[in-house]
Amino acid sequence: MVRIHPEIEVSDDEIRKRYRRANVSTLVSLSLQIRLQKETFCRQIKYGVVVMITVKINDQIVSCFLYEIISKQDARKYLIDQILCEQLLYTPKANCFVQETKINLHPINLDIYLFKNVKISSDSDFIRFATNKCYWYKIHYFFYYKTIPLDKDLIHIDSHRVLLQAYQRIEHITTPVVSLIGATATSWSHFLTQYLPKIEIARSYFDVNQKVIIAVPDDMDHNCLELINFAKPDMWTIKKLSKEILYRCDELLYIDHTSWITDHSKFFTLGDIILYDKPIKILFNIVNRIKKRYISRDSIPHKKLYVRRDPATHRAMINTNELDLLMDKLGYEVISDPHKYSIEEKVKIFSEAKIIVGQMSSALTNATIFCQENTKIFDLRPKLRMGDTLGVILSKYSNIDVTFIFDDNFLYNDMSHPSYYIDINKIKQILLEQT
């Protein structure tokens, strides 16, 4: 049962009779509304070939448009280049469990598009066309089937059709745009591997001396902005996109994300993180230039660092306090919340380390890129996150050694971001034997 008007309720059969002459888009929108299964009313307004729907969800009125996601084949008309990449997937080295192994996957093409007259929004991977079409790269990827999308403007998805949030304000950008926005652009690990390499790739398609806008979310982390400023040509400017505005771009250079990292998932498996070799080489080219600037030639790694995770956060060790005591006893220097430091400070901190112990987190990602060669990292984590091998893959390019130490849990309170317990004596024994 759906309300076409707040006071008029009609059955599914009546809807089909009433709209028997309606176009396909209208019928699909009604079908979508039925499957939303909300106590709501639905109002349709036609904007040319685009259908606008107003729904009430959780006592809030939400206006949205119905779009059809175009196929990769249909997207080829906007394709300007492809970069053939090796897909990098490894099993981790885990104490007394598994040896590090590379899994061979087929190469993949990184697609590069030049879109004209399209709309984009902050915290979203959707590219909206003037018609009722949109491009959404992630739906075409092999491991999409278990992904929970985090695009903020996504209201509902049904096969290859989506309801996307409508915006009251639209801003027109006439200067060419390079997109660094997306559902996960503000996450440190995602940014490094999926977004930052796009700047270097974009240099091949826009003149470094012309005016170009680099579009980023308005809440992008200061470390991310530092890296963008370091990597971009001087003439290119950063524009922060407001979450309240839809932006119409005359010319948009859009590069599919330069690695695959699942937005979110109910559980993690191998394949949720697959990095692409050429973009990762670009990432380390940028990082190595930064390290060369801030690390003195006579610097020798000598410190033991403990990257501490707040036990009050999700995916934290239940017995973090015991770990704190052990790290203090073994002479480890505590590093809390590395995100508060500047890039220069991070480089100087992690480049001095010869051994690092920490719970899995984006904070520990700093160690895998800013350490010097031959540093040892001991990554504490639940078995459920064995498939999260980002640090393992990055370590191949920084020549460091990463070992996972798994928990002792049998049951988890959360299948995605569980709290966990690791016996302190086990951690102590591994560290004493391997350092």
Side-chain angles (χ1 to χ4, degrees), residues 140-166:
H140 303 296
Y141 194 74
F142 182 83
F143 285 98
Y144 168 77
Y145 73 92
K146 64 184 296 292
T147 295
I148 299 174
L150 295 181
D151 305 78
K152 295 298 189 297
D153 57 351
L154 177 59
I155 305 298
H156 184 72
I157 183 168
D158 180 11
S159 183
H160 281 68
R161 295 180 176 86
V162 290
L163 290 177
L164 300 181
Q165 173 189 339

Side-chain angles (χ1 to χ4, degrees), residues 15-163:
I15 287 174
R16 284 177 172 76
K17 290 177 184 176
R18 183 175 297 192
Y19 289 89
R20 63 185 181 274
R21 294 182 181 175
N23 61 31
V24 174
S25 294
T26 304
L27 290 175
V28 170
S29 68
L30 289 168
S31 177
L32 277 169
Q33 177 57 31
I34 293 165
R35 280 192 279 278
L36 279 171
Q37 296 181 339
K38 305 287 183 183
E39 291 184 5
T40 180
F41 67 87
C42 172
R43 180 168 62 93
Q44 281 125 33
I45 306 172
K46 290 183 65 179
Y47 290 81
V49 294
V50 181
V51 177
M52 180 177 181
I53 301 173
T54 304
V55 297
K56 186 176 182 182
I57 301 175
N58 298 327
D59 296 325
Q60 299 227 344
I61 301 296
V62 178
S63 296
C64 47
F65 286 103
L66 177 70
Y67 291 89
E68 180 181 347
I69 303 172
I70 65 173
S71 67
K72 272 288 188 181
Q73 186 63 35
D74 289 340
R76 290 186 68 84
K77 68 179 74 171
Y78 309 103
L79 189 69
I80 59 171
D81 205 355
Q82 293 180 311
I83 301 174
L84 187 65
C85 300
E86 179 186 356
Q87 297 190 86
L88 305 172
L89 177 60
Y90 285 80
T91 61
K93 178 175 68 174
N95 191 64
C96 300
F97 178 63
V98 64
Q99 293 182 341
E100 184 178 286
T101 307
K102 182 180 179 182
I103 299 175
N104 292 320
L105 300 175
H106 286 295
I108 190 169
N109 277 316
L110 177 62
D111 291 339
I112 301 166
Y113 300 95
L114 189 62
F115 294 118
K116 301 290 183 72
N117 190 27
V118 292
K119 299 184 182 73
I120 58 175
S121 59
S122 181
D123 301 331
S124 173
D125 292 302
F126 286 98
I127 309 295
R128 309 185 191 198
F129 298 101
T131 60
N132 63 328
K133 309 282 187 182
C134 67
Y135 176 71
W136 196 41
Y137 90 97
K138 66 184 73 169
I139 201 171
H140 303 296
Y141 194 74
F142 182 83
F143 285 98
Y144 168 77
Y145 73 92
K146 64 184 296 292
T147 295
I148 299 174
L150 295 181
D151 305 78
K152 295 298 189 297
D153 57 351
L154 177 59
I155 305 298
H156 184 72
I157 183 168
D158 180 11
S159 183
H160 281 68
R161 295 180 176 86
V162 290
L163 290 177

Side-chain angles (χ1 to χ4, degrees), residues 196-382:
L196 182 60
K198 295 182 182 185
I199 296 177
E200 189 65 32
I201 295 171
R203 287 172 177 264
S204 299
Y205 308 101
F206 287 138
D207 192 317
V208 295
N209 294 314
Q210 76 177 105
K211 291 184 178 179
V212 173
I213 286 174
I214 300 173
V216 303
D218 59 2
D219 57 347
M220 181 158 270
D221 179 86
H222 68 99
N223 285 160
C224 299
L225 292 173
E226 273 193 81
L227 289 179
I228 293 172
N229 274 309
F230 182 87
K232 74 175 184 66
D234 292 339
M235 287 292 293
W236 296 12
T237 58
I238 297 172
K239 181 177 177 63
K240 296 182 178 182
L241 304 195
S242 168
K243 292 175 173 54
E244 309 303 319
I245 301 174
L246 189 66
Y247 293 85
R248 179 162 67 87
C249 305
D250 284 354
E251 191 173 23
L252 175 73
L253 183 72
Y254 183 81
I255 303 166
D256 283 351
H257 287 353
T258 52
S259 285
W260 172 261
I261 302 181
T262 300
D263 285 10
H264 185 58
S265 179
K266 289 184 178 179
F267 57 92
F268 234 86
T269 61
L270 281 174
D272 280 319
I273 292 183
I274 300 176
L275 305 189
Y276 303 164
D277 67 328
K278 290 175 183 173
I280 297 305
K281 288 176 183 176
I282 291 173
L283 166 64
F284 275 95
N285 179 269
I286 296 170
V287 168
N288 289 334
R289 281 157 42 206
I290 293 173
K291 289 163 74 170
K292 187 175 181 179
R293 174 182 292 185
Y294 296 130
I295 301 176
S296 62
R297 291 183 178 181
D298 57 353
S299 174
I300 299 175
H302 60 283
K303 291 185 177 181
K304 297 191 295 184
L305 299 184
Y306 165 42
V307 181
R308 187 180 189 276
R309 186 173 180 82
D310 186 344
T313 60
H314 68 286
R315 207 174 62 233
M317 272 180 62
I318 297 169
N319 55 330
T320 294
N321 291 339
E322 291 182 340
L323 181 61
D324 293 344
L325 294 173
L326 175 64
M327 293 292 98
D328 181 62
K329 185 177 180 180
L330 295 179
Y332 281 75
E333 179 182 331
V334 180
I335 303 296
S336 297
D337 190 16
H339 295 304
K340 67 185 177 184
Y341 298 112
S342 68
I343 295 297
E344 179 181 357
E345 289 170 327
K346 284 184 177 184
V347 170
K348 290 181 177 178
I349 289 170
F350 288 103
S351 66
E352 293 181 339
K354 67 174 182 178
I355 302 169
I356 297 175
V357 177
Q359 299 176 50
M360 69 162 295
S361 64
S362 60
L364 203 57
T365 302
N366 292 289
T368 61
I369 63 172
F370 293 133
C371 284
Q372 296 196 61
E373 292 186 358
N374 302 316
T375 300
K376 286 192 172 186
I377 297 178
F378 294 89
D379 184 322
L380 313 177
R381 62 176 57 214

